[in-house]
Structures are given as C-alpha cells and as structure tokens.
Amino acid sequence: MSNDILSHTEAGVTTITFNRLDKKNSITGAMYAEMADALATAAADDAVRVLVFQGHETIFSAGNDIADFLHNPPSSVDAPVFQFLRNLSGFPKPVLAAVCGPAVGIGTTMLFHCDLVYAGDNAAFSMPFVNLGLCPEAASSLLVPQMMGYHRAAEALLMGEPFMAEAALEVGLVNRVVPPTEATGIVMAQAKKLAAKPITALIATKRLMKQGQAALIQQQMNDEAEVFGRMLQAPAAKEAFGAFMEKRRPDFSKV
Ligand code: COA
C-alpha cells in the first residue's frame, strides 16, 4: 500500500484512512485499487468484524482526483473505482465512517453504502457531478432520491451545491453530528461495540436489510458507469476538468 491510503486492523476493526492531505484526500485510481483490495481482504478475514473509513478533521475527501481521472479515465466496469464501489456496496460486515470537512463527489456517495455515519459539524457534503459535465455514480442516482425524497435529491444532484452536517442529519445520511475532534473517537467506540457482537447476527441482519435492493443497486451502478465513462470523454467534462486544472471558471456556453 502507498501512504495515500492507510489501513490497519486492531481488535477486529479495520480502519481505512484517506491520507493525502496535500491534495485534499482526492482519490486516484491507485488509491481505489488499494481500497478495493483492502475491502476484499477484510471481507474474507474472520479476524475483521467491522470496517471504518476516516479522513482528516479538516477534510474527508475531495472525491476523484481530477488530474488522474483525465489521464487514466475509468474505461470499463473493471476500473478500480468501480471495483471499489462494488466491494463496498457488497461488503458483508458493518461499515462506519467518520466524516469531517468537505466530502465531495464519491466522498459523499460512498456514504450511502456505509451503515453508520458520524459527521463533524464542519462536514460539507456535495455531489457536483453536473458541474463537472458528469452524471452520478455509486448508485447515487437511485439512493439519493430514495433517502432524501426527489426534490431534495434534485437540488443536491442537479445544483450540486454543498449541504452541511445538520441537513445531512435531517435527511438521514448521518447518524449524529459532533465536534470534529470527537468524530473519530465516537466512530471507534461504536465500531468496538459492534465488534463485540455476534458476527453471524451482524452479517445476517445487514444482508437482510440490503438484499431487496442489491441487484437493483448493481444494475444502477453499471448503468451509471457506462454513461459516466462516455461523459468523461465528452466536451463538457473536458472543459470542467481543464478549468479546474487552470484554476478558472468553466465556460459551458459552447458544449
Ligand atoms: N483532484 C485533484 N486535486 C485536487 C482535488 C481533486 N478532486 N481537490 C483538491 N485538489 C488539489 C488542488 O488542486 C490543490 O492542489 P495545489 O496545491 O497543487 O494547487 C490542493 O488540492 C488544495 O486544494 P484547494 O482547492 O486549494 O483547497 P480548498 O481547501 O480551498 O478547497 C475543496 C477544498 C475540496 C473544497 C476543493 O479543493 C474542491 O472543490 N476540489 C474539487 C472537488 C471536486 O470537484 N471533486 C471531483 C468530484 S467528482
């Protein structure tokens, strides 16, 4: 593993940490591949009972690394980003997340596949796919309307503007809002409580809660991946990504 993703297991809890602060914990293909592997390993390892994602007190993740996406676009459903999402959405044991600061794009959509989410009061969730000339991923086009209701989902996904921790609490995306300094501690305490419970009961309960939608989520992810892959090569995304790299406002008037 590189230093950009840290993973360690202690007392039955595997913790995956975004550790790329200089680039706001944005995620490269290599990082997705590492996380996909870590999830597969943790799923198969009887010593692992619970999985935790965390970032930093100031930033959870700025989402896809835009430069990496430009140079190594995910060209098939086997791309690391989609492997990561498949392994996360199918992960059989409880998954928790501690989210502080911005959670952009997949930094937010991955949370729809976590079981418990604790947010710092500085957490800002956003899904600005449209602003980047893209479409939603991680089955968020299905799961966001389901959780938030259609109109709030349309605001989040069509406007792409951030919403804060309290709003996320209100719609049920997070379980509790706490001071950023406390988020990791609370998640670890909850993870330890879960790790002490019978793993067979945890796995069965999670599977039963999720099984009604599992095939639908997979289908939605595949459909999104196909559209997303095409849009990534299209003029709107090229303009948006070029503007980000050149630190200017995008001009969509010609696309
Ligand atoms: N991909 C690649 N690099 C990124 C990045 C991303 N998604 N997000 C931030 N960075 C880099 C910046 O380019 C900058 O690099 P530099 O120091 O070499 O110039 C560094 O991280 C710091 O970013 P900056 O924008 O100055 O930090 P900030 O605290 O002002 O803002 C964010 C933080 C997360 C709000 C802002 O960086 C942002 O909006 N990023 C883009 C998010 C995005 O659109 N993600 C894609 C979703 S699909």
Side-chain angles (χ1 to χ4, degrees), residues 21-92:
L21 260 185
D22 59 328
K23 293 291 178 189
K24 299 288 167 184
N25 287 344
S26 56
I27 310 170
T28 61
M31 291 163 72
Y32 283 122
E34 287 177 17
M35 290 194 292
D37 286 351
L39 283 163
T41 303
D45 185 349
D46 288 343
V48 177
R49 302 165 81 88
V50 180
L51 192 119
V52 169
F53 283 100
Q54 63 178 3
H56 185 260
E57 270 171 37
T58 59
I59 176 101
F60 183 63
S61 171
N64 291 310
D65 180 301
I66 288 177
D68 188 60
F69 242 45
L70 266 176
H71 297 120
N72 306 300
S75 51
S76 80
V77 291
D78 292 326
V81 58
F82 300 128
Q83 280 180 15
F84 163 68
L85 287 173
R86 268 196 303 278
N87 289 359
L88 176 59
S89 77
F91 194 77

Side-chain angles (χ1 to χ4, degrees), residues 90-106:
F91 194 77
K93 306 168 193 176
V95 181
L96 285 70
V99 183
C100 298
V104 187
I106 200 164

